[in-house]
Amino acid sequence: MGPHRVQALDNVSVEVRRGEFVAVMGPSGSGKSTFMNLLGCLDRPDAGHYRLDGQEVGRLSSDALAAVRNRRIGFVFQSFNLLPRQTAQANVELPMVYAGIPRAARAATALKALAAVGLDSRAHHRPTQLSGGQQQRVAIARALVNDPVLLLADEPTGALDSATSLEILALFQRLNRAGLTIVLVTHEPDVARFAGRVLSFRDGRLVDDRHQVPEEAPGLREAVP
Amino acid sequence: MNALDAVRSALDSLRASPLRSALTMLGIVIGVAAVIAMVAVGAGARDQVLRQIASLGTNLVMVGQGSVVRSGVKLGAGTASSLTEDDGIAVLAEIPGVTVTAPSVRWGLQVVAGNQNWGSVLFGVTPDYMDARDWSVVQGRGLSDEDVAQANKVVVLGQTVVRNLFGGGDPVGEQVRVFSTPLTVVGVLGEKGQNTQGQDQDDVILVPLSTAKRNIPGMAKSNPRFVHTMVVKLADGTDQEEAQAQIRDLLRQRHRLIEGQDDDFWMRNLSEVAATRDASSRALSFLLAAVAAVSLLVGGIGIMNIMLVSVTERTREIGLRLAIGARRRDILMQFLIESTTLSLIGAAVGVLAGVGTAMVVAGLAGWPTLIRLDSVVLAVAVSGLVGVFFGLYPARRASRLNPIEALRHE
Ligand SMILES: Nc1ncnc2c1ncn2[C@@H]1O[C@H](COP(=O)(O)OP(=O)(O)OP(=O)(O)O)[C@@H](O)[C@H]1O
Ligand SMILES: [Mg+2]
């Protein structure tokens, strides 16, 4: 990369334990997304190690990384990234398509995942027929459908109003209580307070790593269908 | 991702912009339709020729007097009566495999009936000749061996002659005159239409060979045994080339031709005629292949163009698919299957359009058409290859995207 080499992350050493709910914070350009891309096996570290569930993934082949992303990681994006012409159900089925799961089994699992996020009645709606919050629920159902060990969410509430954000956060909290490990990027302390641990980045360095007692999301109980 | 899922997803994305997909297919559609239609017309014409030839029988050899035309100069043409009835008898007697030799003379003349007058061609023939040339009779009777033996003044008319002299009425039993010789009409030939050279095969009158020689002034002056042409019929399974070589040797010997002298007769079999036709239709096929190649090339470039656009438009989708577990080869296959599906649907539409065009041509122009299954299979297969070939570059491009950058793409 020559003279414009950017060191997006520098000397970051973190261990996230199974079942944790971690919020990643920091100013824009501090390396949060870069950190998430490493955790999500979308990127490989130029130096150092990343061990996922005990497995060193830094040296895996591109196909093996695809399989890791497919089976063990779920992604949730700020902009949802649903396929616009596909129904909610078809969107949720997509990771199973790449996992080679037969059609009938896919449909059943997708409907179950949609029910888990409270959208079973919207299985045949297209993204354009759903609100932002509903679209993000579909995206969460898609992330969960292959039963991952780690859920990565980069500013999942960035495009949502505060009420809807709370619903999504309640959903995350519920999934975390059920045992799912979650790492979530956010700018807002309001969001981070629902996590049990907050990592703070600045200029590519981890400047703070703080455990806290998570606040209980309002409507957590009601969010359970 | 299995193939069925890939095809389904390809169809989904093609359906997303139907007009664009349709326009992209157009090049392939036109190319395939042109090939199918033109092959159908060509094959129809060829099939007609072959059927005409088959109806004559490929085990026939025509022998005629005079030399073949070579380099535009007719050598030895008109050499007085080089071919005789005795040549025919000798060929029948001496060449193994020859079952019939049927001699004939022909003469252009005026035929008169009442006050009607018509220029036609007279054939002096035997019943064998009528059989060999597939001349059938639809009214009255044909010529008999007795007519030939007794030089009966009888005539069988072709349809065109009947139309012009009798206005289509029944001529059997009526009189016609040629060179002021009255002949009784005993039969009418079935309609044959035009031959492969476009000549009217119904504008003929047939009389016994002996009658022609006796009553047409000047015809048998130099040699009463002469003939213009004879048809040699070979038994099934006879080696035609071998027989022709033997006939040639025998005739050269009988005509006392010395080494180095040209033949004073020509010989032709109908499979040679077929071969000439075949050669010209092969030249046409090359032209068709060129047209097809160009339109498929243009169609392929259209597909490549639209696939490149599609890859750019769907960069985020590709990023998402990579993020949730698609391997690079899954993305490659997805776009390859999409481009191939485009070209194959185009080919299918092209086949239908080509068949339709052929049917319209057959209906309006009255040309015979024949849909060749091999042309359909070939056109579809080539279109499929075009889809794969021109889809490869866009698909590789898609499969090599960096998922992080692709997901950030606007
Ligand atoms: N592909 C890349 N090439 C060069 N520099 C990059 C690349 N990706 C990220 N960077 C740089 O690395 C740094 C960290 O970027 P990153 O996207 O991780 O920030 P962020 O914390 O997610 O910011 P934001 O809150 O705005 O999303 C930035 O300075 C960015 O410009
Ligand atoms: Mg970011």
Side-chain angles (χ1 to χ4, degrees):
Chain A
M1 265 194 238
H4 299 293
R5 191 178 175 89
V6 174
Q7 189 128 17
L9 284 180
D10 185 14
N11 206 9
V12 174
S13 185
V14 189
E15 185 177 9
V16 175
R17 299 192 163 273
R18 205 181 273 265
E20 277 192 293
F21 185 171
V22 181
V24 177
M25 298 196 68
S28 190
S30 57
K32 306 183 295 293
S33 294
T34 307
F35 176 66
M36 293 294 268
N37 290 338
L38 287 175
L39 295 189
C41 297
L42 287 168
D43 212 348
R44 280 184 251 220
D46 298 325
H49 302 277
Y50 169 35
R51 217 169 278 128
L52 173 67
D53 214 13
Q55 186 185 17
E56 174 65 49
V57 293
R59 301 279 171 275
L60 289 182
S61 71
S62 149
D63 280 2
L65 282 179
V68 169
R69 292 195 296 265
N70 184 233
R71 314 289 163 89
R72 304 169 69 185
I73 296 171
F75 289 93
V76 177
F77 307 91
Q78 177 175 357
S79 51
F80 321 139
N81 278 325
L82 299 175
L83 300 186
R85 256 172 282 275
Q86 305 283 330
T87 61
Q89 184 187 336
N91 268 290
V92 174
E93 283 187 28
L94 204 55
M96 293 187 280
V97 169
Y98 290 113
I101 294 169
R103 216 163 132 73
R106 284 199 317 245
T109 312
L111 289 173
K112 224 187 293 166
L114 281 169
V117 299
L119 278 181
D120 36 345
S121 61
R122 303 298 174 102
H124 301 295
H125 287 55
R126 281 166 216 285
T128 48
Q129 299 165 319
L130 298 173
S131 72
Q134 288 170 329
Q135 289 186 54
Q136 195 61 299
R137 284 164 187 262
V138 173
I140 292 168
R142 179 180 64 192
L144 296 178
V145 86
N146 274 349
D147 214 4
V149 294
L150 176 61
L151 184 77
L152 298 174
D154 198 339
E155 303 194 40
T157 59
L160 302 175
D161 63 42
S162 52
T164 315
S165 295
L166 283 178
E167 286 175 27
I168 296 295
L169 287 166
L171 179 56
F172 276 138
Q173 221 167 37
R174 180 165 60 77
L175 291 167
N176 176 246
R177 300 260 161 106
L180 182 66
T181 314
I182 298 177
V183 179
L184 173 150
V185 169
T186 182
H187 281 291
E188 298 167 64
D190 260 6
V191 170
R193 66 197 156 111
F194 300 110
R197 183 177 175 191
V198 179
L199 301 177
S200 297
F201 283 79
R202 187 177 300 273
D203 298 333
R205 290 170 190 274
L206 180 61
V207 294
D208 189 29
D209 180 353
R210 185 164 45 83
H211 287 262
Q212 65 185 21
V213 177
E215 205 170 301
E216 193 148 305
L220 172 62
R221 313 265 168 233
E222 299 94 275
V224 182
Chain B
M1 190 182 228
N2 68 34
L4 196 66
D5 284 322
V7 170
R8 200 175 289 126
S9 126
L11 288 175
D12 274 349
S13 78
L14 296 181
R15 221 177 299 141
S17 38
L19 181 64
R20 185 163 95 183
S21 302
L23 289 175
T24 305
M25 288 172 193
L26 210 55
I28 302 282
V29 171
I30 291 173
V32 169
V35 173
I36 303 280
M38 289 192 282
V39 168
V41 170
R46 200 163 142 239
D47 180 63
Q48 192 186 35
V49 170
L50 289 176
R51 251 185 297 138
Q52 281 170 351
I53 287 166
S55 78
L56 294 176
T58 44
N59 55 347
L60 295 184
V61 179
M62 300 277 281
V63 184
Q65 70 146 350
S67 301
V68 285
V69 177
R70 252 184 239 159
S71 55
V73 184
K74 210 170 183 191
L75 298 161
T79 337
S81 50
S82 57
L83 203 61
T84 66
E85 290 178 50
D86 302 310
D87 287 333
I89 292 164
V91 165
L92 181 59
E94 293 180 28
I95 311 293
V98 173
T99 57
V100 173
T101 59
S104 78
V105 294
R106 49 176 291 162
W107 207 262
L109 41 56
Q110 294 291 315
V111 193
V112 182
N115 54 5
Q116 299 291 312
N117 190 326
W118 180 249
S120 185
V121 179
L122 172 143
F123 280 85
V125 298
T126 60
D128 282 344
Y129 194 93
M130 288 187 65
D131 282 349
R133 292 294 302 272
D134 200 25
W135 263 325
S136 61
V137 170
V138 292
Q139 270 171 271
R141 64 173 179 87
L143 301 175
S144 65
D145 288 327
E146 199 187 316
D147 290 330
V148 177
Q150 297 172 7
N152 286 342
K153 292 181 177 173
V154 293
V155 64
V156 175
L157 304 180
Q159 297 274 351
T160 303
V161 180
V162 173
R163 221 173 5 256
N164 285 286
L165 291 182
F166 297 95
D170 183 1
V172 174
E174 303 288 332
Q175 297 273 313
V176 298
R177 272 176 299 124
V178 292
F179 293 112
S180 55
T181 304
L183 301 170
T184 306
V185 179
V186 294
V188 176
L189 293 174
E191 181 128 23
K192 288 190 90 169
Q194 295 187 341
N195 71 4
T196 53
Q197 278 88 38
Q199 290 162 340
D200 181 2
Q201 299 184 88
D202 300 314
D203 192 4
V204 294
I205 69 171
L206 309 185
V207 300
L209 181 64
S210 47
T211 312
K213 288 184 173 177
R214 195 166 300 170
N215 295 290
I216 294 174
M219 184 176 260
K221 212 190 281 172
S222 55
N223 182 352
R225 302 288 288 163
F226 96 100
V227 294
H228 283 124
T229 57
M230 64 185 187
V231 175
V232 179
K233 195 168 188 172
L234 304 174
D236 285 342
T238 309
D239 181 341
Q240 198 160 24
E241 281 184 35
E242 172 77 25
Q244 272 183 250
Q246 289 174 340
I247 293 169
R248 179 163 180 262
D249 286 346
L250 179 63
L251 291 179
R252 284 184 67 86
Q253 194 188 324
R254 287 179 56 84
H255 296 182
R256 301 202 170 76
L257 298 175
I258 57 162
E259 192 95 3
Q261 225 175 331
D262 283 318
D263 293 346
D264 58 355
F265 55 90
W266 52 260
M267 204 181 311
R268 210 158 52 118
N269 66 51
L270 290 160
S271 41
E272 280 165 15
V273 178
T276 327
R277 295 266 141 187
D278 220 33
S280 60
S281 82
R282 210 168 298 136
L284 185 69
S285 303
F286 274 119
L287 190 69
L288 291 185
V291 170
V294 169
S295 30
L296 289 176
L297 182 72
V298 171
I301 292 170
I303 287 181
M304 179 146 106
N305 178 42
I306 234 59
M307 292 309 294
L308 284 171
V309 170
S310 173
V311 169
T312 305
E313 283 178 350
R314 287 154 70 194
T315 300
R316 275 173 81 95
E317 174 190 328
I318 295 163
L320 171 82
R321 287 177 184 269
L322 288 168
I324 63 170
R327 293 165 304 176
R328 302 223 169 263
R329 90 178 81 118
D330 290 324
I331 302 295
L332 183 82
M333 283 312 289
Q334 179 188 345
F335 281 89
L336 264 190
I337 285 174
E338 236 168 79
S339 63
T340 310
T341 306
L342 255 179
S343 66
L344 285 180
I345 293 175
V349 175
V351 167
L352 293 181
V355 170
T357 309
M359 279 160 60
V360 169
V361 164
L364 294 185
W367 294 352
T369 56
L370 182 70
I371 304 299
R372 294 272 306 257
L373 189 65
D374 53 358
S375 73
V376 173
V377 171
L378 188 74
V380 171
V382 170
S383 304
L385 288 179
V386 163
V388 173
F389 182 79
F390 287 95
L392 203 55
Y393 175 69
R396 281 179 79 85
R397 208 173 190 187
S399 73
R400 288 177 176 192
L401 287 175
N402 175 329
I404 298 167
E405 281 166 23
L407 277 167
R408 261 205 297 256
H409 191 267
E410 276 318 308

